Amino acid sequence: MAAAALASPALGQDLTPDFYSETCPDALSTIKLLVGAAILREPRMGASLVRLHFHDCFVNGCDGSILLDDTDDMVGEKLAKPNNNSVRGYEVIDTIKSAVNMVCLGNVVSCADILALAARDSIVALGGTSYDVLLGRRDATSASMDDANNDIPTPFMDLPALQDNFESHGLSLHDLVVLSGGHTLGYSRCLFFRGRLYNETSSLDPAFAAALDERCPPAGDDDALASLDDTPTTVDTDYYQGILQGRALLHSDHQLLYQQGADDDLVKYYADNPDKFWEDFGAAMVKMGSISPLTGDDGEIRENCRVVNQE
């Protein structure tokens, strides 16, 4: 089947790929260099930087709010259930922000834009195809743990709940299947796949289940890791192939087999067409990255991604 065209983002129309071409022409190359260095030190970091961008955009838009530390007056997103002891890479973003402030001779590039660029550069560094990142986001001045708990899709969701969640962010079923392909990278904690391992045995490949059983006991050891596909530091279509073979690690990944209608063959389509996956994934990342950005005079450009600017 031919994959359906991904719709252009309705939001974020003020964003442009050349936003910093005059104000800081060295910004993008600096970010790319530092992302590459971080991944060279720890290949797993690529998945973490992609995930930071996902989790930022799904909570009140792509505004860098996930990076804010808690204060006496605000409980932010870092300790929310989908993020606590799971989302990482904050120190890498700190390093990038400091370096970019230096090469830009000032506070020019937003933390939200750094997240979007770091995600793209991670994908490219690990074998994916590049795409133009739309830029010009500004940074939020607040964050909300409650919003993060409510808005970020969980690995325990059935397909209807996943669809509802994505649609609430202006994303389609097609976007859901394509963006789930981000699980071509990275690992999951035992806490998030234990239920699938012990309650959904009929849908799991027996050898795969036996290997997981050695890593993830029925109780305890919540932080034990298993890779989301067989090549967790390479952007490829092994993730989709694994779903078809009964090797989906997360309940939410397995749920992609239960699509109905025009998109019901997308998992197989991308499993068989890696070039098309890379193309569509880039387009879907641009669309996701355009969810409710702050632009113009809204928000601010944070000097330090962890704290709001002092007046």
Side-chain angles (χ1 to χ4, degrees), residues 155-199:
F156 311 113
M157 284 181 170
D158 293 331
L159 183 62
L162 289 167
Q163 285 186 254
D164 287 347
N165 182 284
F166 271 63
E167 287 173 1
S168 73
H169 293 90
L171 300 171
S172 67
L173 172 61
H174 189 180
D175 298 320
L176 165 62
V177 178
V178 178
L179 289 170
S180 294
H183 287 173
T184 180
L185 298 174
Y187 297 78
S188 177
R189 297 165 63 207
C190 171
L191 176 68
F192 295 126
F193 63 85
R194 176 182 285 120
R196 171 152 168 75
L197 173 59
Y198 294 106
N199 299 327

Side-chain angles (χ1 to χ4, degrees), residues 9-311:
L11 302 174
Q13 294 176 349
D14 293 333
L15 306 181
T16 172
D18 58 358
F19 188 82
Y20 298 109
S21 61
E22 294 186 6
T23 56
C24 189
D26 293 330
L28 272 64
S29 59
T30 300
I31 294 169
K32 180 179 180 180
L33 181 67
L34 291 173
V35 168
I39 291 173
L40 188 63
R41 289 193 300 271
E42 183 192 359
R44 181 185 164 203
M45 185 54 66
S48 299
L49 295 175
V50 172
R51 193 156 180 255
L52 265 176
H53 183 43
F54 271 75
H55 282 219
D56 181 46
C57 288
F58 269 76
V59 184
N60 298 320
C62 309
D63 59 5
S65 57
I66 194 171
L67 302 173
L68 286 170
D69 287 340
D70 292 352
T71 68
D72 291 340
D73 302 318
M74 181 196 74
V75 180
E77 299 168 28
K78 289 183 175 179
L79 296 181
K81 290 179 181 178
N83 297 332
N84 189 29
N85 295 321
S86 179
V87 171
R88 56 199 290 274
Y90 300 113
E91 294 80 6
V92 174
I93 299 300
D94 292 339
T95 298
I96 292 172
K97 177 61 175 173
S98 296
V100 170
N101 285 353
M102 185 175 298
V103 300
C104 295
L105 304 179
N107 183 30
V108 175
V109 181
S110 70
C111 302
D113 278 349
I114 288 173
L115 287 178
L117 288 162
R120 188 274 310 275
D121 293 340
S122 296
I123 290 163
V124 174
L126 295 172
T129 300
S130 187
Y131 54 90
D132 289 335
V133 177
L134 301 180
L135 302 167
R137 302 168 190 80
R138 289 167 64 84
D139 298 322
T141 56
S142 63
S144 168
M145 174 187 282
D146 287 341
D147 288 345
N149 281 330
N150 292 328
D151 293 347
I152 297 173
T154 78
F156 311 113
M157 284 181 170
D158 293 331
L159 183 62
L162 289 167
Q163 285 186 254
D164 287 347
N165 182 284
F166 271 63
E167 287 173 1
S168 73
H169 293 90
L171 300 171
S172 67
L173 172 61
H174 189 180
D175 298 320
L176 165 62
V177 178
V178 178
L179 289 170
S180 294
H183 287 173
T184 180
L185 298 174
Y187 297 78
S188 177
R189 297 165 63 207
C190 171
L191 176 68
F192 295 126
F193 63 85
R194 176 182 285 120
R196 171 152 168 75
L197 173 59
Y198 294 106
N199 299 327
E200 302 176 31
T201 54
S202 63
S203 66
L204 282 170
D205 172 75
F208 181 62
L212 292 180
D213 183 69
E214 294 181 0
R215 293 174 174 266
C216 181
D221 210 6
D222 287 350
D223 294 333
L225 296 176
S227 60
L228 290 161
D229 76 2
D230 289 339
T231 54
T233 58
T234 302
V235 176
D236 55 23
T237 56
D238 187 73
Y239 164 76
Y240 295 106
Q241 294 163 9
I243 292 175
L244 295 172
Q245 296 164 359
R247 298 170 65 85
L249 182 66
L250 303 177
H251 176 79
S252 56
D253 293 333
H254 177 65
Q255 286 290 299
L256 299 186
L257 288 176
Y258 300 129
Q259 305 159 68
Q260 299 294 321
D263 290 320
D264 61 358
D265 291 327
L266 274 176
V267 171
K268 187 176 189 305
Y269 178 80
Y270 288 124
D272 295 339
N273 295 277
D275 290 343
K276 191 61 181 173
F277 165 65
W278 289 333
E279 177 184 339
D280 287 355
F281 185 70
M285 288 291 286
V286 171
K287 184 177 179 181
M288 184 196 73
S290 296
I291 297 174
S292 303
L294 299 172
T295 59
D297 294 329
D298 293 331
E300 65 181 15
I301 300 174
R302 279 187 237 132
E303 179 80 24
N304 178 339
C305 290
R306 292 177 179 264
V307 298
V308 300
N309 297 337
Q310 300 298 312
E311 296 182 357

